[in-house]
């Protein structure tokens, strides 16, 4: 089912949580709302669910106006960051709950409920936990149960609010791949909120980057990462080094390297990702001179902090092999050349 | 040589060394003298360092114009960009008494509107349940009734019994002076039935049950379970609040009835010490306390119970976020519940007086 969001705004007292949001969500799409905390992404999700009413604007579900439709008629499945499982019910009862509380006319038979719940528990690979209570489960298990509970009511839309936010890194990675596979099987329109750019880029069909209640950019993970529309998006999607430069005849300069700056005015800000900088031991005219001040080993990659004259500290990332081959150490003199950069007007 | 300041109408003449010592002596005077019209003649300044520049900056910010500052000091001042208006964040004024009263009244009015809205919503939901009684969650209602009612019996027994004993003792001593010990039973019976049993039971309910509701529902709210219920199409009002309202509104009169009996028994027990047998006390009370006394007491208990449950549930649903919010909700449910009881009891007293009940 497709969702259209038209000019939605929402204020909480003085705080403008959503500012004129327009967004189309295709049927069967897995969409990520990505942004820093307080950017309005959770509010937008709650507005879609019907848990918050917008101050202005319209929401269409499958072309029909659903702005004033009550939550219970929207048929959404909602997965909460902290699971929100009912503590006094077993896993089975939790999943069955949405079906059991239906009015008699639409309620399936007890037999059918049992079958459905076991199917769902198998789908989330936790059938063997049916008789446990939520408190006896690990975080990852709880979140999968919460997902099963949300799917039990056969929602038209699945909404996930930072579903993996409270889990540790390894479980997160596993679960997000699992979510992706699940979505490929079920093809239910899904929107999930996250502040983790890696998660959004890995899982989603489309990423919507939000900041201060507005949408900064919307596109496929590749589009958003390779062609960030604004400096904010660029900065949010990974670590960056910042350079300021004057623009001469459409060219901005870092050290001696020139980058085209067609849209920038007088001054430009140049963003360079840490892994897009080359290191050399030999001096050259068009490189920035610096001194290595820190070496941090991050597993497969190594990150060097380099102090240069003009800038406080630049970060350079290189593979472990290169690091070992070139044997960088604290105090070494180094010359830097950016390979790639992105230039924005200042 | 230190700095000096001379005033000549709107002209302020500065001379000497504008350094830390020099500036300290003239700073206050210069500040007082500087205004929008004044010009500062700085041609006799022989030395000016950062502090001197700061003083000149301050004077410029106050609207004064600087004239004749030697060229070698000018860059120091220019660096401060003194014509740029300084961004001084306005310190919020401490609010006046009137504003404080206004804020308080607005807050109070907001709360009241919230309560009225909640009562309205509850009324609408109860009406819907009255028409389709099957939608009431009977199991949940009974569970709440058991925990609010049956589980409260020990403490209600204790308090009611002691209440009867104390009342009987306190009134028996002066009454004996008039040889009227017999009428202690009448007095205790009437005050228990009309006033004390409903009130004491309700206070216990507010502490035990009202606060528990706020904590229970508040925890669900903090854990987003309420949101989860809502997305599954369940109205928290019907699903959580109504069973609690009904359970407590029905349990409170029952508990009150029980408290009355225990209290009277306690009083009668004391009176046996004054050579009045139990049977005599019983017949005294029977002859004196009539049905309308009894019913007004139970009616009060019903209203008190409803009020306590309403406040408990409302505070629970309005819980903010974070674990601390749950504690705050439970406390405020308790306090508001007891305040509500006292106020409602006062209103009842006035109403019954005029109605002659």
């Amino acid at each position: 089912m497709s969702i259209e969001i038209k000019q939605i705004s929402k204020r909480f007292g003085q705080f403008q949580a959503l500012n004129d949001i327009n967004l189309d969500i295709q049927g069967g799409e897995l969409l990520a709302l990505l942004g820093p905390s307080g950017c309005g992404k959770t509010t937008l999700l709650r507005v879609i669910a019907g848990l918050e009413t917008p101050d202005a604007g319209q929401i269409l579900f499958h072309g029909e106006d659903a702005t004033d439709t009550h939550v219970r008629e929207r048929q959404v499945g909602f997965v909460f960051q902290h699971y929100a499982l009912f503590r006094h019910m077993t896993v089975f009862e939790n999943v069955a709950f949405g079906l059991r509380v239906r009015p008699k006319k639409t309620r399936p038979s007890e037999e059918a409920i049992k079958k459905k719940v076991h199917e769902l528990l198998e789908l989330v690979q936790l059938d063997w936990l049916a008789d446990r209570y939520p408190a006896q489960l690990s975080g990852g298990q709880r979140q999968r149960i919460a997902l099963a509970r949300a799917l039990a009511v056969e929602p038209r839309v699945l909404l996930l609010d930072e579903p993996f936010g409270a889990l540790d890194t390894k479980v997160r990675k596993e679960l997000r791949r699992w979510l992706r596979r699940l979505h490929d099987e079920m093809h239910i329109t899904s929107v999930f909120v996250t502040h983790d750019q890696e998660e959004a880029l890995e899982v989603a069909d489309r990423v919507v980057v939000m900041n201060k209640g507005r949408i900064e950019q919307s596109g496929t993970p590749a589009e958003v990462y390779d062609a960030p529309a604004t400096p904010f998006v660029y900065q949010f999607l990974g670590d960056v080094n910042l350079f300021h430069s004057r623009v001469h005849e459409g060219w901005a300069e870092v050290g001696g390297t020139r980058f085209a700056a067609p849209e920038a005015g007088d001054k430009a800000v140049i963003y360079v990702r840490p892994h897009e900088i080359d290191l050399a031991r030999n001096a050259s005219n068009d490189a920035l001179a610096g001194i290595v001040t820190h070496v941090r080993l991050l597993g497969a990659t190594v990150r060097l902090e380099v102090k240069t004259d003009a800038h406080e500290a630049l970060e350079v990332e290189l593979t472990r092999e290169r690091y070992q081959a070139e044997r960088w150490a604290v105090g070494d003199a180094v010359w830097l050349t950016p390979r790639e950069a992105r230039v924005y007007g200042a | 040589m230190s700095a000096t300041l001379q005033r000549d109408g709107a002209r302020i003449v500065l001379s000497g060394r504008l350094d830390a010592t020099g500036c300290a002596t003239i700073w206050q005077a210069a500040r007082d003298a500087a205004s929008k019209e004044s010009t500062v003649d700085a041609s006799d300044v022989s030395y000016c360092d950062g502090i001197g520049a700061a003083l000149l900056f301050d004077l410029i910010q106050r609207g004064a114009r600087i004239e004749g500052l030697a060229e070698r000091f000018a860059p120091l001042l220019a660096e401060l960009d003194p014509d740029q208006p300084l961004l001084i964040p306005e310190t919020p004024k401490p609010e006046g008494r009137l504003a404080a009263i206004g804020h308080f009244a607005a807050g109070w009015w907001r709360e009241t509107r919230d309560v009225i809205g909640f009562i309205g919503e509850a009324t609408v939901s109860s009406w819907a349940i009255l028409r389709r009684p099957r939608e009431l969650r009977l199991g949940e209602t009974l569970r709440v009734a058991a925990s609010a009612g049956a589980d409260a019996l020990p403490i209600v027994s204790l308090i009611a019994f002691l209440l009867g004993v104390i009342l009987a003792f306190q009134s028996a001593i002066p009454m004996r002076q008039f040889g009227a010990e017999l009428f202690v039973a009448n007095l205790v019976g009437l005050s228990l039935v009309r006033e004390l049993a409903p009130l004491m039971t309700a206070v216990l309910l507010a502490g035990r049950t009202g606060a528990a509701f706020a904590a229970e529902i508040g925890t669900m709210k903090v854990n987003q379970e309420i949101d989860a219920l809502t997305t599954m199409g369940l109205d928290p009002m019907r699903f959580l609040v109504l069973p609690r309202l009904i359970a407590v509104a029905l349990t409170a009169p029952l508990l009150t009835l029980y408290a009355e009996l225990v209290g009277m028994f306690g009083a009668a027990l004391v009176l046996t010490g004054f050579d009045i047998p139990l049977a005599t006390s019983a017949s005294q009370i029977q002859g004196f306390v009539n049905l309308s006394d009894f019913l007004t007491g139970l009616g009060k208990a019903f209203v008190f119970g409803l009020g306590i449950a309403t406040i408990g549930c409302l505070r629970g649903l309005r819980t903010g976020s974070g674990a601390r919010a749950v504690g705050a909700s439970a406390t405020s449910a308790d306090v508001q519940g007891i305040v509500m009881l006292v106020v409602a009891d006062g209103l009842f007293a006035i109403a019954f007086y005029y109605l002659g009940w």
Side-chain angles (χ1 to χ4, degrees):
Chain A
M1 193 188 62
S2 65
I3 304 170
E4 275 174 74
I5 295 160
K6 289 183 175 172
Q7 297 170 338
I8 290 283
S9 293
K10 172 86 186 167
R11 292 184 82 90
F12 294 109
Q14 293 290 311
F15 181 67
Q16 183 90 38
L18 294 176
N19 194 349
D20 195 20
I21 298 276
N22 286 292
L23 183 63
D24 281 355
I25 302 168
Q26 311 295 326
E29 188 177 32
L30 177 53
L31 182 102
L33 294 176
L34 176 67
S37 23
C39 75
K41 53 194 193 302
T42 296
T43 310
L44 182 58
L45 197 75
R46 290 175 67 90
V47 167
I48 297 174
L51 289 169
E52 306 276 359
T53 31
D55 298 336
Q58 219 186 359
I59 292 191
L60 306 180
F61 273 31
H62 212 83
E64 282 169 45
D65 189 352
T67 318
D68 298 320
T69 312
H70 194 272
V71 193
R72 62 175 155 265
E73 277 116 48
R74 292 195 189 194
Q75 296 176 23
V76 296
F78 206 111
V79 177
F80 296 90
Q81 184 179 3
H82 296 289
Y83 331 122
L85 293 173
F86 304 121
R87 280 155 299 148
H88 56 284
M89 294 184 194
T90 63
V91 164
F92 181 91
E93 286 165 345
N94 259 292
V95 179
F97 182 78
L99 298 170
R100 281 191 176 151
V101 295
R102 283 193 181 167
K104 264 229 168 83
K105 274 176 281 172
T106 54
R107 191 191 308 161
S109 69
E110 193 57 26
E111 206 48 36
I113 291 179
K114 209 172 226 177
K115 190 160 163 274
K116 172 104 195 171
V117 171
H118 279 294
E119 266 172 31
L120 282 165
L121 286 177
E122 263 164 42
L123 183 72
V124 300
Q125 300 154 2
L126 291 174
D127 202 20
W128 50 287
L129 289 175
D131 298 326
R132 302 265 188 101
Y133 283 90
Q136 297 168 304
L137 307 185
S138 73
Q141 289 169 339
R142 281 186 221 180
Q143 197 54 288
R144 282 191 276 169
I145 298 299
L147 195 63
R149 184 180 69 176
L151 290 171
V153 293
E154 288 170 6
R156 297 193 290 170
V157 186
L158 186 62
L159 305 172
L160 304 106
D161 183 11
E162 306 229 4
F164 313 129
L167 305 171
D168 63 73
T169 325
K170 202 164 154 54
V171 179
R172 272 173 103 112
K173 281 194 174 153
E174 258 169 49
L175 266 191
R176 67 195 191 209
R177 272 167 214 154
W178 175 82
L179 176 71
R180 181 68 239 188
R181 282 202 302 276
L182 195 73
H183 183 264
D184 290 340
E185 279 172 35
M186 309 197 40
H187 282 296
I188 177 170
T189 310
S190 310
V191 181
F192 83 102
V193 157
T194 179
H195 59 256
D196 181 345
Q197 75 281 1
E198 223 179 279
E199 193 170 293
L201 296 175
E202 180 178 337
V203 177
D205 294 324
R206 194 149 65 96
V207 178
V208 173
V209 185
M210 290 184 66
N211 184 30
K212 292 183 183 158
R214 289 179 179 280
I215 291 178
E216 292 267 336
Q217 191 178 6
S218 145
T220 64
E223 280 167 14
V224 174
Y225 191 81
D226 294 334
T230 62
F232 173 81
V233 176
Y234 196 89
Q235 273 178 303
F236 195 74
L237 290 180
D239 296 319
V240 286
N241 293 304
L242 248 180
F243 299 93
H244 293 275
S245 161
R246 290 197 177 282
V247 178
H248 295 290
E249 293 161 6
W251 293 90
E253 259 187 15
V254 178
T257 318
R258 302 207 301 168
F259 295 101
E263 286 149 36
D266 235 13
K267 290 178 182 173
V269 184
I270 301 156
Y271 292 84
V272 182
R273 297 232 185 263
H275 62 264
E276 293 172 339
I277 297 181
D278 278 333
L279 295 172
R281 283 199 189 272
N282 302 327
S284 66
N285 279 337
D286 50 1
L288 281 168
I291 290 172
V292 178
T293 53
H294 281 287
V295 176
R296 270 178 274 154
L297 306 177
L298 307 172
T301 60
V302 177
R303 192 165 285 194
L304 305 183
E305 221 173 270
V306 177
K307 196 173 171 344
T308 62
D309 294 338
H311 303 274
E312 280 301 293
L314 295 178
E315 289 199 319
V316 184
E317 202 171 275
L318 55 161
T319 60
R320 197 163 190 110
E321 291 78 42
R322 267 198 69 191
Y323 166 75
Q324 276 162 347
E326 292 170 12
R327 294 169 194 234
W328 293 103
V330 173
D332 286 1
V334 61
W335 275 264
L336 308 171
T337 339
R339 270 195 312 272
E340 309 244 351
R342 196 133 186 115
V343 185
Y344 296 95
Chain B
M1 191 180 93
S2 107
T4 54
L5 177 139
Q6 283 167 335
R7 290 186 63 176
D8 175 16
R11 267 180 94 75
I12 302 168
V13 182
L14 294 181
S15 56
R17 287 175 63 84
L18 289 185
D19 55 7
T21 31
C23 286
T25 53
I26 61 165
W27 197 299
Q28 198 53 49
R31 281 188 83 153
D32 294 342
S35 69
K36 284 231 154 54
E37 290 84 44
S38 41
T39 45
V40 176
D41 183 356
S43 45
D44 283 345
V45 171
S46 60
Y47 172 80
C48 175
D49 61 9
I51 294 182
L55 173 63
L56 295 176
F57 175 83
D58 193 14
L59 298 182
I60 293 170
Q61 285 292 323
R62 277 160 196 279
R65 273 184 309 122
I66 310 285
E67 281 173 1
L69 184 67
E71 212 144 278
R72 58 205 154 107
F73 306 133
L76 207 57
L77 188 60
E79 187 81 345
L80 294 177
D81 210 357
D83 295 323
Q84 194 90 352
L86 198 59
L87 280 178
I88 301 169
E90 269 183 49
T91 44
K93 275 186 204 156
E95 65 180 17
R97 190 154 300 175
L98 200 63
I101 293 172
H103 273 145
F104 177 78
W108 185 82
W109 174 235
R110 237 190 340 262
E111 283 267 299
T112 313
R113 265 198 350 204
D114 196 27
V115 172
I116 292 171
F118 186 79
I119 292 172
E121 211 182 318
T123 313
V124 170
S125 298
S126 351
W127 181 241
I129 290 280
L130 269 181
R131 299 203 309 186
R132 282 191 297 274
R134 286 190 161 194
E135 284 187 11
L136 179 68
R137 292 173 71 212
L138 197 62
E140 174 80 354
T141 312
L142 291 178
R143 186 191 68 77
V144 175
S147 80
D151 296 353
L153 284 180
I155 182 135
V156 170
S157 312
L158 179 72
I159 301 282
F161 182 78
L162 289 178
L163 200 65
V165 168
I166 294 163
L167 271 179
F169 253 121
Q170 291 299 328
S171 37
I173 293 162
M175 296 283 252
R176 194 159 59 171
Q177 292 178 348
F178 307 105
E181 298 102 310
L182 189 57
F183 298 106
V184 169
N186 301 13
L187 188 145
V188 175
L190 190 65
S191 32
L192 275 176
V193 166
R194 285 198 70 117
E195 202 59 53
L196 289 170
L199 194 63
M200 285 313 292
T201 314
V203 168
L204 285 176
L205 272 179
R208 272 188 93 246
T209 310
F213 285 176
E216 220 169 45
I217 296 180
T219 312
M220 291 187 76
K221 167 104 183 181
V222 169
N223 287 341
Q224 294 183 306
E225 286 175 50
I226 305 262
D227 284 339
L229 283 176
T230 316
T231 54
M232 286 185 189
L234 294 168
D235 182 7
M237 186 54 107
R238 275 198 217 180
F239 196 79
L240 296 172
V241 175
L242 267 194
R244 286 175 168 75
L245 293 190
I246 293 171
V248 177
L250 296 181
T251 321
L254 288 178
L255 273 181
T256 303
L257 183 63
Y258 174 74
E260 285 165 6
L261 293 176
V262 174
M264 286 175 196
F265 175 69
L269 220 55
V270 171
L271 288 181
T272 55
F274 292 86
D275 295 333
I276 296 166
L278 288 179
T280 317
S281 298
S283 72
Q284 275 293 326
I285 295 173
Q286 269 173 12
F288 190 69
V289 179
N290 56 33
L291 189 65
S292 84
D293 295 328
F294 179 67
L295 288 182
T296 49
L298 290 194
K300 268 176 145 175
F302 176 82
V303 173
F304 290 165
L306 207 56
I308 289 162
T310 306
I311 289 173
C313 293
L314 177 64
R315 291 272 62 87
L317 284 176
R318 296 291 180 269
T319 302
S321 53
R324 220 187 313 167
V326 176
S329 292
T331 313
S332 77
D334 196 9
V335 173
Q336 286 184 1
I338 288 171
V339 171
M340 180 279 299
L341 286 180
V342 174
V343 172
D345 201 31
L347 292 177
F348 271 125
I350 296 168
F352 289 162
Y353 176 77
Y354 281 106
L355 288 169
W357 285 1

